[in-house]
Amino acid sequence: MKKVWKKPLLVLASLALTFSVTACGGAKDKEAGAPAAGGSKELVVVDWGGASSEAAKKNVYEPFEKANNVKITVVSPTDVGKLKAMVQSGAVEWDVVNSDTDVALRLEKEGMLEKLDYTQIKKDDVYPELVTDCSIGLQVYFTNIAYNTEAFPGGKHPKTWTEFWDTKAFPGARSLYKNPVGTLEAALLADGVAPDKLYPLDVDRAFKSLGKIKKDVKVWWDAGAQPPQLLGTKEVVAAAAWNGRVSSAKAQGSPIDNEFNQSLGMATSWVIPKGAPHKDLAQKFIAYAVTAESQAAYSKAIDYAPTNKKALDMLPDDVKQRIGQTPDRVSKQIFINNKWWLDNYDKIAERFNKFMLE
């Protein structure tokens, strides 16, 4: 059941992941990263690219490289189809992947992932709802209502998904995520469903609501960098967007901003594809990446919340405000129910794809 967040620690305690997915494979691999030219080891890390990747490079990847004589090659963006093809063909080129948590759970269930080595990876301070046999939480982010501040000056922008859907009161083109996860929740909230009554999702009602705004959706985006670009140029005036991408563009002078009311909370997780060439080094990397120090440094660089409770304690109040971890913002947020999506994603994704073609 989806929860409305009450306070930072309860936010993540509400994640609907209180189950074990055990289809991931294999015992701990003893292979270390093969030496690269110059004697360093190599590791291929897959992330989402853009501002989040730049923040990770400076605050996670480079410190790990220096401390361990490792050369990290970054591949972006995360491509689940390619990961599956690699595993199924036995030709895996990636070592560590930053995956949406709901996707990580499905990959784990399908046996696409290596088992994480929790003798190396310290999970005690990571929200337990984000720890499974084959995945561990990396960051918490929000799909917000984002808007162009010139199109909607003086705080007169859409503040609820109902207002986002109301193109008469708030005129202009829209952009939505080309994925049913989160998009269906926004559609139901727009149609008047109470946050604590969202799950199980009324799928028919959600698609009916999406049909009402479809003509106004100029771009269905599939990369996180798109909404800030579309908003900054006024190609659209309001969009569903990831909060960190919006705040990064805003800091660089773009006339856009986040609305944290009715934020849809989501998470990403670290996973190791089954058959990854440098599995042991990948375990070591994840162990480093989930430490409080590493996660705090990352959250200071980009506005995504840590999954390590002690990292949150290391952040100043202004950062907590930007990453949505203050009581006033937490009280207005809604968390995606990953367990529900694990059970229902495939059939809804098929319907969503048909909806896009109609």
Side-chain angles (χ1 to χ4, degrees), residues 50-52 146-149 224-233 241-258 301-304 322:
S52 62
Y147 60 96
N148 184 289
T149 55
Q226 288 176 269
Q229 295 170 356
L230 295 165
L231 289 166
T233 58
W242 298 334
N243 65 297
R245 299 299 183 106
V246 173
S247 58
S248 293
K250 177 185 175 183
Q252 295 172 8
S254 183
I256 65 176
D257 209 345
N258 280 300
I302 188 164
D303 294 346
Y304 293 128
R322 295 203 309 269

Coordinates of all heavy atoms in Angstrom, one line a residue, residues 50-52 146-149 224-233 241-258 301-304 322:
G50 N 23.9 12.6 -17.7 CA 23.5 14.0 -17.4 C 24.0 14.4 -16.0 O 25.1 14.0 -15.6
A51 N 23.2 15.3 -15.4 CA 23.7 15.9 -14.1 C 23.9 14.9 -13.0 O 24.9 15.1 -12.2 CB 22.7 16.9 -13.7
S52 N 23.1 13.9 -13.0 CA 23.3 12.8 -11.9 C 24.6 12.1 -12.1 O 25.3 11.8 -11.2 CB 22.1 11.9 -11.9 OG 22.0 11.2 -13.1
A146 N 6.9 20.1 -12.5 CA 7.9 21.1 -12.8 C 7.3 22.1 -13.8 O 6.4 21.8 -14.6 CB 9.2 20.5 -13.4
Y147 N 7.8 23.4 -13.8 CA 7.1 24.4 -14.6 C 8.1 25.5 -14.9 O 9.2 25.7 -14.3 CB 6.0 25.0 -13.8 CG 6.4 25.6 -12.5 CD1 6.6 27.0 -12.4 CD2 6.5 24.9 -11.3 CE1 7.0 27.6 -11.2 CE2 6.9 25.4 -10.1 CZ 7.1 26.8 -10.0 OH 7.5 27.4 -8.9
N148 N 7.7 26.2 -16.0 CA 8.5 27.4 -16.4 C 8.0 28.6 -15.6 O 6.8 28.9 -15.6 CB 8.3 27.7 -17.9 CG 9.1 28.8 -18.4 OD1 8.9 30.0 -18.1 ND2 10.1 28.5 -19.2
T149 N 9.0 29.3 -14.9 CA 8.6 30.3 -14.0 C 8.2 31.6 -14.7 O 7.6 32.5 -14.1 CB 9.8 30.6 -13.0 OG1 10.9 30.9 -13.8 CG2 10.0 29.4 -12.1
G224 N 15.8 11.6 -18.5 CA 15.6 12.6 -17.5 C 16.0 14.0 -17.9 O 15.5 15.0 -17.3
A225 N 16.9 14.1 -18.8 CA 17.4 15.5 -19.2 C 16.4 16.2 -20.1 O 16.5 17.5 -20.2 CB 18.7 15.3 -20.0
Q226 N 15.4 15.5 -20.6 CA 14.5 16.2 -21.6 C 13.6 17.2 -20.9 O 13.4 18.3 -21.4 CB 13.6 15.1 -22.3 CG 14.4 14.3 -23.3 CD 13.5 13.2 -23.9 OE1 13.5 12.1 -23.4 NE2 12.8 13.5 -24.9
P227 N 12.9 16.9 -19.8 CA 12.0 17.9 -19.2 C 12.6 19.3 -18.9 O 12.0 20.3 -19.3 CB 11.4 17.2 -18.0 CG 11.5 15.8 -18.3 CD 12.8 15.6 -19.0
P228 N 13.8 19.3 -18.3 CA 14.4 20.7 -18.1 C 14.6 21.4 -19.4 O 14.5 22.7 -19.4 CB 15.7 20.3 -17.3 CG 15.4 19.0 -16.7 CD 14.6 18.3 -17.6
Q229 N 15.1 20.7 -20.4 CA 15.3 21.4 -21.7 C 14.0 21.9 -22.3 O 13.9 23.0 -22.8 CB 16.0 20.4 -22.6 CG 17.4 19.9 -22.2 CD 17.9 18.8 -23.0 OE1 17.2 18.2 -23.9 NE2 19.2 18.4 -22.7
L230 N 13.0 21.1 -22.3 CA 11.7 21.4 -22.8 C 11.1 22.6 -22.1 O 10.5 23.5 -22.7 CB 10.7 20.3 -22.8 CG 11.1 19.0 -23.6 CD1 10.3 17.8 -23.2 CD2 10.9 19.3 -25.1
L231 N 11.2 22.6 -20.8 CA 10.7 23.7 -19.9 C 11.5 25.0 -20.1 O 10.9 26.1 -20.2 CB 10.7 23.3 -18.5 CG 9.7 22.2 -18.1 CD1 10.0 21.6 -16.7 CD2 8.3 22.8 -18.1
G232 N 12.8 24.8 -20.2 CA 13.7 26.0 -20.3 C 13.4 26.8 -21.6 O 13.6 28.0 -21.6
T233 N 13.1 26.1 -22.6 CA 12.8 26.8 -23.9 C 11.3 27.1 -24.1 O 10.9 27.5 -25.2 CB 13.3 25.9 -25.1 OG1 12.6 24.6 -25.0 CG2 14.8 25.7 -25.0
A241 N 8.7 15.8 -13.9 CA 10.1 15.8 -14.1 C 10.8 15.3 -12.8 O 10.3 15.5 -11.7 CB 10.6 17.1 -14.5
W242 N 12.0 14.8 -12.9 CA 12.8 14.4 -11.7 C 13.4 15.6 -11.1 O 14.0 16.4 -11.7 CB 13.9 13.4 -12.1 CG 13.3 12.1 -12.7 CD1 12.1 11.6 -12.5 CD2 13.9 11.2 -13.7 NE1 11.9 10.4 -13.2 CE2 13.0 10.2 -13.9 CE3 15.2 11.2 -14.3 CZ2 13.3 9.1 -14.8 CZ3 15.5 10.2 -15.2 CH2 14.6 9.2 -15.4
N243 N 13.2 15.7 -9.8 CA 13.5 16.9 -9.0 C 15.0 17.4 -9.2 O 15.3 18.6 -9.3 CB 13.2 16.8 -7.6 CG 14.0 15.8 -6.8 OD1 14.0 14.6 -7.1 ND2 14.8 16.2 -5.9
G244 N 15.9 16.4 -9.2 CA 17.3 16.8 -9.2 C 17.7 17.4 -10.6 O 18.5 18.3 -10.6
R245 N 17.1 16.9 -11.6 CA 17.4 17.5 -13.0 C 16.9 18.9 -13.1 O 17.5 19.8 -13.7 CB 16.7 16.6 -14.1 CG 17.2 15.2 -14.1 CD 18.7 15.1 -14.4 NE 19.1 13.7 -14.5 CZ 19.4 13.1 -15.7 NH1 19.3 13.7 -16.8 NH2 19.8 11.8 -15.7
V246 N 15.7 19.1 -12.5 CA 15.1 20.5 -12.5 C 16.0 21.5 -11.7 O 16.3 22.6 -12.1 CB 13.7 20.5 -12.0 CG1 13.1 21.9 -11.9 CG2 12.8 19.6 -13.0
S247 N 16.3 21.1 -10.5 CA 17.1 22.0 -9.6 C 18.5 22.2 -10.2 O 19.0 23.4 -10.0 CB 17.2 21.4 -8.2 OG 17.8 20.1 -8.2
S248 N 19.1 21.3 -10.9 CA 20.4 21.5 -11.5 C 20.3 22.5 -12.6 O 21.1 23.5 -12.7 CB 20.9 20.2 -12.0 OG 21.3 19.3 -11.0
A249 N 19.2 22.4 -13.4 CA 19.0 23.4 -14.5 C 18.7 24.8 -13.9 O 19.2 25.8 -14.4 CB 17.9 22.9 -15.4
K250 N 17.9 24.8 -12.9 CA 17.6 26.1 -12.2 C 18.8 26.7 -11.7 O 19.0 28.0 -11.8 CB 16.6 25.8 -11.1 CG 16.2 27.0 -10.3 CD 15.4 26.7 -9.1 CE 15.1 27.9 -8.2 NZ 14.3 27.6 -7.0
A251 N 19.7 26.0 -11.1 CA 21.0 26.5 -10.5 C 21.9 27.1 -11.6 O 22.7 28.0 -11.4 CB 21.7 25.5 -9.8
Q252 N 21.7 26.6 -12.9 CA 22.5 27.2 -14.0 C 21.7 28.3 -14.7 O 22.2 28.8 -15.8 CB 22.7 26.0 -15.0 CG 23.6 24.9 -14.4 CD 23.7 23.7 -15.3 OE1 23.3 23.7 -16.4 NE2 24.3 22.6 -14.7
G253 N 20.6 28.8 -14.1 CA 20.0 29.9 -14.7 C 18.7 29.7 -15.5 O 18.1 30.7 -16.0
S254 N 18.3 28.5 -15.6 CA 17.1 28.2 -16.4 C 15.9 28.6 -15.6 O 15.8 28.4 -14.4 CB 17.0 26.7 -16.7 OG 15.9 26.4 -17.5
P255 N 14.9 29.3 -16.3 CA 13.7 29.7 -15.6 C 12.7 28.6 -15.3 O 11.5 28.7 -15.8 CB 13.1 30.8 -16.6 CG 13.5 30.2 -17.9 CD 14.8 29.6 -17.7
I256 N 13.1 27.7 -14.5 CA 12.2 26.5 -14.2 C 12.3 26.3 -12.7 O 13.2 26.7 -12.0 CB 12.6 25.3 -15.0 CG1 13.9 24.8 -14.6 CG2 12.5 25.6 -16.5 CD1 14.3 23.4 -15.4
D257 N 11.3 25.5 -12.2 CA 11.4 25.2 -10.8 C 10.5 23.9 -10.5 O 9.8 23.5 -11.4 CB 10.8 26.4 -9.9 CG 11.4 26.4 -8.5 OD1 12.1 25.4 -8.1 OD2 11.3 27.5 -7.9
N258 N 10.7 23.4 -9.3 CA 10.0 22.2 -8.8 C 8.8 22.7 -7.9 O 8.9 23.6 -7.2 CB 10.9 21.4 -7.9 CG 11.8 20.5 -8.7 OD1 11.4 19.6 -9.4 ND2 13.1 20.6 -8.4
A301 N 25.9 17.4 -4.0 CA 26.2 17.8 -5.4 C 25.0 17.8 -6.3 O 24.9 18.5 -7.2 CB 27.2 16.8 -6.0
I302 N 24.0 17.0 -6.0 CA 22.7 16.9 -6.8 C 21.6 16.6 -5.8 O 21.8 15.9 -4.9 CB 22.8 15.9 -7.9 CG1 21.6 16.1 -8.9 CG2 23.0 14.5 -7.4 CD1 21.8 15.4 -10.2
D303 N 20.4 17.2 -6.1 CA 19.3 17.1 -5.2 C 18.6 15.8 -5.2 O 17.4 15.8 -5.4 CB 18.4 18.3 -5.4 CG 19.1 19.6 -5.1 OD1 20.2 19.6 -4.5 OD2 18.6 20.6 -5.5
Y304 N 19.3 14.7 -4.9 CA 18.6 13.4 -4.7 C 19.0 13.0 -3.2 O 20.1 13.1 -2.8 CB 19.1 12.4 -5.7 CG 18.6 12.8 -7.1 CD1 19.5 12.8 -8.2 CD2 17.3 13.0 -7.4 CE1 19.1 13.1 -9.5 CE2 16.8 13.4 -8.6 CZ 17.8 13.4 -9.7 OH 17.3 13.7 -10.9
R322 N 16.2 21.0 -0.2 CA 16.3 20.9 -1.7 C 16.0 19.4 -2.1 O 15.4 19.2 -3.1 CB 17.6 21.3 -2.2 CG 18.0 22.7 -2.1 CD 19.0 23.2 -3.1 NE 20.2 22.3 -3.1 CZ 21.3 22.5 -2.3 NH1 21.3 23.5 -1.6 NH2 22.3 21.6 -2.4

